[in-house]
Amino acid sequence: MKDMLRRVTKDKRKYIIICACAVLIIALISVSVIIMQLKHNKNIKKNVADNTIAETKTVQETTAQETTEADSTEETTEEQEKVVVEEKYVEEFFENEIATEDEEALALPSRKLTSEFIPYDGVSREITCYGDSMMAGAGCTTPGTVNGLSIFGWSSPITLERLSGITTHNLGVSGENSYTITFRAGGIKLYIDRDITISEDDYARATLIDENGNVFTYDDYSGYGIDYDPYPGDMYINGYLCDVDNAGNNQVSIKLTQGYSAYSGSEARIIIYDSETDEYSEENGLIQELAEKETTGDTDAEQPAETPAESPTESPTEKPTEVSTTGKVTIQGGTQAMTRASQERSAKDILVLEMGSNGGWANNYQELILQYDNIILNSGCKYYIILGDTDDPGTSLADDNQGELNEYGSYIGIGDTAWEAALREAYGEHFFNTRTYMIQNGLNDCGLDTTTEDLENFKKGNISKQLRYDWTHFNCYGYYSKGVGIYKKGVELGYWS
């Protein structure tokens, strides 16, 4: 019995060992199978990834090649459009292939000014240029070279000054319309609406009224332009130089300008302080004589202030501290208030006037012409140049009267548009058609080659894109050519040589 039990126990152990070994073997086989499957799956994923990358790379290379080919085609097309044209063919183009017929000018307004040309009297004068961004020179800070000279930053007034050798004042203000330019240049008469008593320390409030009884307010009463004018004082009122600032409720505050308000008779005596020599002097600015008006208040108002004996001249950089001052003065309502620019520049200089591209004339040529007339008549200026608009036909934001094509469905070319024709009829020899000048001479002025693209633009009456900064403004080349054209017009009129 014991032997049997031993045998059974021994067999049981053997059976357990055998079972354990079998389980271990099965486990090892399972693990091996799993590992092999994982490796297989990994290889499959790798192959798929490799194939995807390869396919993507192929697509990218194909796309890149197609893009390159497309770009190359575009560049080729663009190059074909910009092929340089020989000079003899350009001459033939202007002789035979471009329209030269002028459009009919619109009716002129009833006006006091005529197109009569008055020969220059030979008196030495400076030049003042009024206008908007096209006069200010927006876009001129572009690289450019003419005859080896860098013209980076050259506006038309800079070019005009360099060529003429005459001091030229750029009173262009970006964004301005023709109405505000007319005001700055003296074409709009303003009057104070009440009696005021003021001094260098005492302000008075008043309202500025124009000739039609409308209230007038603006940000720049000096007329020089907000960024241009380093001088003190804004307006001349009854011969006094005054500071004028907006005071709210359509009113302005007015006081005598500190240290610069002295005057004598109908001439303003502006006291100038030279910080380098620490000396004082006078700068004579002729003021238009006003109708005599009775004044009340301090008797000092009727007496000219004493002025220093020294005589060097320079624009003021500091306020004088030891200058005779004017006491309280009373100025009657109805007295005209005139911008400094209109009296110190418009009344004395040769004027170059350009305005209208930003509106301000209600799409009415007659109103625009009257604005030009008022500047010239009010300033008493006999010597001036009126510049035509430089937008391509049909692109002007201010002029709805003209399109890209004329009334016959043809391009205008280098003929006058209706706007240009009206200005030419109104101002005769004083008118300078800037657009047509730049089509015919702009590239040559700057030493640039004419391309087939340029000829296509010329045919439409458009200025070369080589002279543009954007769709309306010029780059330095454009402003340089415009300045050359104005200079040539001045030579033609005898203003300079």
Side-chain angles (χ1 to χ4, degrees), residues 348-369:
K348 300 193 305 179
D349 296 349
I350 300 167
L351 298 184
V352 178
L353 305 175
E354 178 183 31
M355 60 189 190
S357 62
N358 292 322
W361 46 285
N363 199 47
N364 184 335
Y365 296 109
Q366 294 190 354
E367 185 171 341
L368 180 63
I369 288 170

Side-chain angles (χ1 to χ4, degrees), residues 108-121:
L108 299 183
S110 175
R111 52 202 292 259
K112 297 177 182 178
L113 188 67
T114 68
S115 61
E116 177 189 7
F117 170 70
I118 299 175
Y120 194 59
D121 61 5

Side-chain angles (χ1 to χ4, degrees), residues 14-30:
K14 187 186 296 183
Y15 175 76
I16 292 171
I17 291 170
I18 292 170
C19 288
C21 290
V23 170
L24 182 60
I25 292 169
I26 291 171
L28 289 173
I29 292 172
S30 299

Side-chain angles (χ1 to χ4, degrees), residues 266 286-290 336 338 342-343 347 377-380:
S266 62
L286 183 61
I287 304 302
Q288 295 178 352
E289 286 204 35
L290 305 172
Q336 187 176 353
M338 300 174 286
S342 69
Q343 302 307 299
L377 290 169
N378 289 350
S379 65

Side-chain angles (χ1 to χ4, degrees), residues 22-75:
V23 170
L24 182 60
I25 292 169
I26 291 171
L28 289 173
I29 292 172
S30 299
V31 170
S32 299
V33 169
I34 291 171
I35 291 172
M36 290 177 66
Q37 186 64 42
L38 290 174
K39 285 183 178 180
H40 179 68
N41 291 344
K42 185 177 181 181
N43 288 335
I44 290 174
K45 288 182 180 179
K46 184 176 183 302
N47 290 336
V48 170
D50 290 342
N51 290 337
T52 302
I53 291 170
E55 289 174 5
T56 303
K57 187 175 181 182
T58 302
V59 170
Q60 288 175 339
E61 289 174 352
T62 303
T63 304
Q65 183 177 358
E66 290 174 352
T67 303
T68 304
E69 289 174 358
D71 290 344
S72 177
T73 303
E74 259 180 40
E75 288 174 5

Side-chain angles (χ1 to χ4, degrees), residues 31-32 100 120 126 135-136 139 143 150 193 204 222 229 253 285 313 319 323 397-398 459 477:
V31 170
S32 299
T100 59
Y120 194 59
E126 296 181 359
M135 186 66 77
S150 171
D193 70 333
S222 77
D229 185 20
S253 64
T313 302
K319 294 284 186 179
V323 179
L397 298 177
K459 188 176 294 185
Y477 284 119

Side-chain angles (χ1 to χ4, degrees), residues 2 14 32 34 101 107 137 188 191 201 216 247 296 340 346 372 375 383 388 409 452 495:
K2 290 182 180 179
K14 187 186 296 183
S32 299
I34 291 171
E101 187 174 350
I188 296 175
Y191 305 88
D201 299 311
F216 183 92
T296 59
R340 276 189 48 237
S346 302
Y372 277 119
I375 293 173
Y383 313 111
T452 49
Y495 296 164

